[in-house]
Amino acid sequence: MWGTVPRRDSSMGSDGRRSAGWVVAGVPIFAALSGLAANAASDQQRWPRVLDLVRQNPWLTLGVITLMCVGSEAVLLWPRRRSKTVVTAETEQPGPRRMPSRNPLFTGREQMLDELQLRLESSVVCLYGIGGSGKTSVAVEYSHRFKRRFSVIWWIAAEQPPLVTEQLAALAIEVGEATEGTPVKNAAEKARGWLRDHRGWLVVLDNMPGSELSSPAIPDGPGQVLITSRANFWNQLGVLIQVDVFSRTESVSLLTAQLSGISPSDADRVANAVGDLPLAVAQAAGFMVATGMRASEYVDAVEAHAIEILDRGRPVGYPLSLAAVVALSVERLSVEDPVGVSILNLCSFLGPEPIPFTWLTHTPQEGSRSALAKASPVKLRSSVGRLVEFGLARLDSDGGSLVVHRTTAAVVRDLLTVRARSRQWQLAGELLAANRSGDPAELTLWPLWSILTAHVGLHLRLAPESAKAGSQDYRSVVLDAARYLELSGQAASANELARTARERWSQSLGSDDLDVLRAARRQSATLPPAHPDALGIETDTLDRLQRLLGPDDPETLSSAGNCARAMADLGRYQDARQLNHDTLTRLRRVFGDDDPKTLLSANNLANRMSELGEHEAAASLHRQILDRREVVLGHDHPDTLITKVQLALDLANLGEMDEARTSGRLSLAELRRRLGPDHRSTLQAAAILAEILRREGSLQEARALDEDTLQRRKRVLGTDHPETLALAQSLSPDSSKQG
């Protein structure tokens, strides 16, 4: 029988320490008394050195020694200071231990384990997270690492409630409360009674279903219950600790430890491909070790053959592979909640970033026979909860968005037939189109465009052969997303999105399709300055649009402006000026002087004039544009502020330094406030102000501003971007000497 666990502070009991204290105290006291007797019996008048003080002051010496002995006694008997992380005493005689074997490859999670041991005073603690996040692994490691603190450790596989009773009955037999012949139900009750009457035990309920909140399987008493569950509904019973994916450092550490020769950069690519999901990372390591597959091959295989690749390399201690875990959960959910499966299928064609719940309530209704389109908002919320309960998704911190892990989504896509995959891809595209966030040039809408754009890129790459282009509305969303990325300073991402769209759409729509040509324009506009491909793309696009739509169509005129910019980037300023002038004339005739497209073209022409040294003409045109933009767009619109900065440079070229410097400073400060210090337009304004400062002789301030701009360009645009390289060259010592 396992009784109450006695508290033990050290390897020596208090009685033993008290005996030792008296021994320590008695020896010097006996020595002092012996000295007194010897002194009395001796006729020696002086003792050697310090001992003579003892002879002259025997009673004082005895008092000092007595105080020292009492102090020693107190120190020996004072309880040892306990570590702040030790909440419960170690057991003197451990009782039954039933738990899985310890994983020798366990890595990371130190902060979580520290939090767990600090929660020992809580009777119920729940580790929750999506499937494959490593909840069971953390519980196993915790059980082994701190096993000496518990009198009994009993592991229960709790996924099937009927089997929980049998495992509790087994505990009753182990602690002597029941025999083999005791009925299972009675024995389980005896186990619960024993747990109520004893302290210092740990019961782990592994993989507990969220629907069993009131289950009698959860014991009470002066011990600890540790639950692992995909559901997060346990806050009413105890403490919740979320088990999230690995940090990238933990993922790379696991991969490099198991894969000899893999570089940190390749390990990072593999970790990114599986989204740092612990089970997926462990499977990747196991499969690559067994097959010798290179990192690049594995990354490609995860997207192309998710089920096949994520069903291999199952690590020790995991009963199922990640693919099997997801497939079984989807199979169960399809029976219990078809709407939940519809949501999951739809979300699997979107990105791994949060998906606002409100999107699901804006699912297109026309022609849709899916259960999702017919579901009420209440039913949608309920089904999202079921997805969370099954570990197939999670909610973000405020509960307003749904998140599906990239590996879960990949397996779900692979579970679909070819026809179903094509249909779900189209539905996801319609969902994106239905939740379009307005004009991407409107700054107030950028937060919404940021959310939407996070899903557009992956959806575009997942386009099946049978439906590469999607609907007209969907293609408009893709182009607007590329425009948003360009305007928000993410030129490389904008270029990648536009290039992918152009390549995929041209295969099914042809090279003369307007959306294909629009994608080409976005691709060219987001290439680095003076890129050799830019002018070729623009010239081909302009020729096609002039043939298809005529020279005065807005699409054609916009393309002409892009073509002139590409010419200027290559130093063909006169050709660019002539094309800009012709384009501006047509725009004024078709749209008027105050149309934003006209003002943009006029601003481009003013820049061409400045590049050709026509500073007075450039300043005059920039003033006209500034006046009109302040009326049409507002005085603090980024386009207005950029015009102000360009006019400031014209003024500096004309020698009007005070006005140039003041205008440049104010415009840069406002751009930093509106767009942030790292936006490409802000960095352009900073470079212009630095040039103005140089021309007026403020060399130290100009260089400091350029150095700050250079560091930001390296971070935002990259070290190889032409704008970064040009600024770095201007700051080099050789360049300074030449200047």
Side-chain angles (χ1 to χ4, degrees):
M1 296 284 289
W2 299 99
T4 301
V5 180
R7 179 171 183 140
R8 183 177 61 171
D9 289 315
S10 69
S11 60
M12 180 183 290
S14 60
D15 291 341
R17 285 181 284 137
R18 183 175 290 108
S19 299
W22 282 116
V23 170
V24 172
V27 170
I29 290 174
F30 177 77
L33 292 174
S34 300
L36 288 172
N39 185 35
S42 174
D43 57 358
Q44 187 175 346
Q45 297 301 312
R46 185 174 184 84
W47 288 8
R49 297 182 182 178
V50 178
L51 292 179
D52 192 54
L53 294 175
V54 175
R55 181 186 66 78
Q56 297 178 25
N57 304 281
W59 293 106
L60 177 62
T61 302
L62 180 61
V64 171
I65 293 175
T66 302
L67 287 174
M68 292 174 60
C69 294
V70 171
S72 300
E73 175 79 358
V75 169
L76 283 169
L77 293 180
W78 192 264
R80 292 186 180 180
R81 184 180 179 182
R82 303 178 62 80
S83 169
K84 65 179 181 179
T85 60
V86 178
V87 183
T88 188
E90 294 184 359
T91 60
E92 291 190 354
Q93 294 181 337
R97 297 274 196 264
R98 188 174 83 166
M99 50 188 170
S101 300
R102 194 172 191 176
N103 180 6
L105 300 177
F106 182 87
T107 187
R109 307 299 199 186
E110 293 301 322
Q111 184 175 354
M112 190 174 299
L113 289 166
D114 288 342
E115 183 178 0
L116 262 177
Q117 65 166 326
L118 291 174
R119 298 287 189 177
L120 276 172
E121 293 180 351
S122 302
S123 58
V124 178
V125 178
C126 176
L127 300 174
Y128 75 96
I130 63 173
S133 60
K135 304 176 292 295
T136 299
S137 293
V138 173
V140 170
E141 178 64 19
Y142 172 73
S143 301
H144 282 277
R145 187 176 296 191
F146 304 110
K147 63 184 178 182
R148 301 182 71 180
R149 299 182 186 174
F150 299 104
S151 59
V152 171
I153 300 177
W154 202 251
W155 191 281
I156 296 177
E159 187 169 10
Q160 300 181 44
L163 298 181
V164 173
T165 302
E166 296 182 8
Q167 296 171 81
L168 280 172
L171 172 60
I173 295 173
E174 286 292 330
V175 297
E177 292 291 308
T179 65
E180 295 288 347
T182 305
V184 171
K185 186 175 181 180
N186 293 345
E189 286 299 328
K190 289 180 178 296
R192 295 187 187 96
W194 186 92
L195 293 170
R196 281 192 295 269
D197 295 338
H198 295 76
R199 65 177 64 251
W201 47 262
L202 170 66
V203 172
V204 181
L205 296 168
D206 186 37
N207 208 14
M208 190 79 171
S211 59
E212 299 300 318
L213 286 177
S214 59
S215 171
I218 303 176
D220 58 352
Q224 186 183 38
V225 177
L226 179 59
I227 298 172
T228 72
S229 179
R230 299 177 188 177
N232 63 345
F233 309 138
W234 304 95
N235 57 309
Q236 57 188 287
L237 294 180
V239 176
L240 288 177
I241 299 178
Q242 183 177 9
V243 183
D244 207 344
V245 298
F246 274 154
S247 67
R248 182 55 53 85
T249 301
E250 289 173 328
S251 297
V252 171
S253 175
L254 189 150
L255 289 166
T256 53
Q258 295 190 47
L259 295 166
S260 59
I262 190 171
S263 66
S265 60
D266 279 346
D268 185 88
R269 291 182 62 201
V270 173
N272 183 66
V274 297
D276 297 298
L277 191 67
L279 176 53
V281 174
Q283 283 189 216
F287 185 77
M288 293 170 70
V289 166
T291 63
M293 180 179 278
R294 292 177 298 179
S296 58
E297 295 178 83
Y298 193 88
V299 169
D300 293 339
V302 168
E303 187 166 311
H305 309 287
I307 285 185
E308 185 177 0
I309 198 73
L310 295 175
D311 197 36
R312 310 292 179 87
R314 178 176 62 84
V316 175
Y318 285 88
L320 296 173
S321 68
L322 178 61
V325 168
V326 174
L328 286 173
S329 297
V330 171
E331 182 179 357
R332 285 181 54 198
L333 188 65
S334 63
V335 174
E336 300 182 22
D337 196 332
V339 173
V341 173
S342 296
I343 295 173
L344 181 64
N345 289 339
L346 188 67
C347 294
S348 69
F349 285 90
L350 300 176
E353 289 76 20
I355 302 166
F357 175 78
T358 53
W359 285 14
L360 302 178
T361 63
H362 290 83
T363 304
Q365 301 288 322
E366 288 186 28
S368 178
R369 299 188 300 273
S370 70
L372 179 59
K374 302 173 184 177
S376 68
V378 174
K379 175 56 183 172
L380 291 173
R381 276 288 185 185
S382 174
S383 295
V384 167
R386 294 291 280 167
L387 286 174
V388 173
E389 181 182 336
F390 275 74
L392 295 168
R394 65 176 178 85
L395 295 175
D396 66 351
S397 57
D398 63 2
S401 297
L402 180 68
V403 180
V404 179
H405 193 271
R406 67 175 73 243
T407 53
T408 300
V411 173
V412 170
R413 291 194 300 267
D414 265 14
L415 291 171
L416 299 172
T417 64
V418 173
R419 182 176 179 180
R421 200 175 303 158
S422 177
R423 176 59 179 157
Q424 290 298 325
W425 182 85
Q426 290 177 332
L427 285 174
E430 293 174 15
L431 183 71
L432 293 172
N435 290 279
R436 184 180 179 275
S437 305
D439 186 357
E442 180 59 52
L443 291 177
T444 58
L445 297 177
W446 279 12
L448 297 177
W449 273 108
S450 176
I451 296 171
L452 189 70
T453 302
H455 300 280
V456 170
L458 177 62
H459 182 268
L460 181 65
R461 294 199 306 274
L462 293 174
E465 292 294 328
S466 57
K468 285 189 174 181
S471 66
Q472 175 70 57
D473 288 343
Y474 166 69
R475 295 196 295 274
S476 295
V477 167
V478 174
L479 293 170
D480 282 345
R483 177 67 173 153
Y484 157 73
L485 290 170
E486 177 188 1
L487 292 172
S488 61
Q490 304 173 67
S493 298
N495 183 264
E496 174 66 19
L497 182 61
R499 181 189 62 77
T500 303
R502 180 191 180 198
E503 292 176 353
R504 291 181 178 272
W505 296 349
S506 63
Q507 295 177 20
S508 55
L509 301 176
S511 298
D512 283 347
D513 180 82
L514 286 181
D515 284 331
V516 174
L517 295 174
R518 289 167 184 148
R521 284 168 46 204
R522 292 268 64 78
Q523 179 187 0
S524 173
T526 52
L527 286 170
H531 193 283
D533 294 340
L535 184 57
I537 294 173
E538 291 294 355
T539 302
D540 177 73
T541 301
L542 180 58
D543 290 344
R544 292 178 187 274
L545 288 171
Q546 287 176 333
R547 173 170 52 83
L548 293 169
L549 304 177
D552 289 342
D553 187 88
E555 297 276 1
T556 306
L557 294 172
S558 180
S559 176
N562 287 352
C563 192
R565 179 193 59 79
M567 290 176 177
D569 287 341
L570 293 174
R572 295 171 54 180
Y573 300 122
Q574 193 62 51
D575 291 339
R577 186 190 190 284
Q578 182 176 347
L579 182 56
N580 271 139
H581 185 273
D582 177 70
T583 302
L584 178 59
T585 302
R586 293 177 184 276
L587 283 166
R588 282 173 169 165
R589 185 176 67 248
V590 175
F591 296 102
D593 290 340
D594 290 340
D595 187 89
K597 293 186 287 295
T598 304
L599 294 174
L600 176 61
S601 179
N603 200 74
N604 290 337
L605 177 58
N607 292 337
R608 300 295 86 79
M609 291 175 174
S610 182
E611 290 161 353
L612 288 168
E614 303 172 15
H615 300 310
E616 289 188 5
S620 176
L621 185 53
H622 270 136
R623 285 190 187 278
Q624 297 176 36
I625 299 164
L626 179 59
D627 292 341
R628 294 183 182 277
R629 276 186 162 170
E630 286 182 335
V631 173
V632 176
L633 302 176
H635 71 279
D636 61 348
H637 190 280
D639 290 349
T640 305
L641 295 171
I642 285 295
T643 301
K644 283 185 179 180
V645 174
Q646 291 166 338
L647 174 58
L649 183 59
D650 293 334
L651 296 174
N653 289 327
L654 294 171
E656 301 177 29
M657 301 307 302
D658 289 341
E659 185 179 353
R661 180 182 63 256
T662 301
S663 180
R665 288 189 191 279
L666 292 175
S667 300
L668 176 58
E670 190 65 17
L671 281 166
R672 283 172 171 167
R673 185 184 70 83
R674 292 280 284 169
L675 301 178
D678 290 340
H679 191 278
R680 192 173 177 182
S681 295
T682 307
L683 298 177
Q684 177 190 355
I688 291 175
L689 177 58
E691 178 63 23
I692 294 172
L693 293 171
R694 248 189 312 275
R695 294 189 184 187
E696 75 160 0
S698 302
L699 301 182
Q700 186 174 356
E701 184 181 358
R703 184 172 185 85
L705 183 57
D706 270 338
E707 288 175 345
D708 178 74
T709 302
L710 177 61
Q711 295 306 314
R712 295 180 187 277
R713 279 183 172 172
K714 285 180 177 180
R715 185 169 64 251
V716 176
L717 303 177
T719 56
D720 295 331
H721 192 278
E723 293 177 16
T724 307
L725 294 173
L727 185 55
Q729 176 63 30
S730 70
L731 287 170
S732 66
D734 292 340
S735 176
S736 300
K737 291 176 183 178
Q738 292 173 5

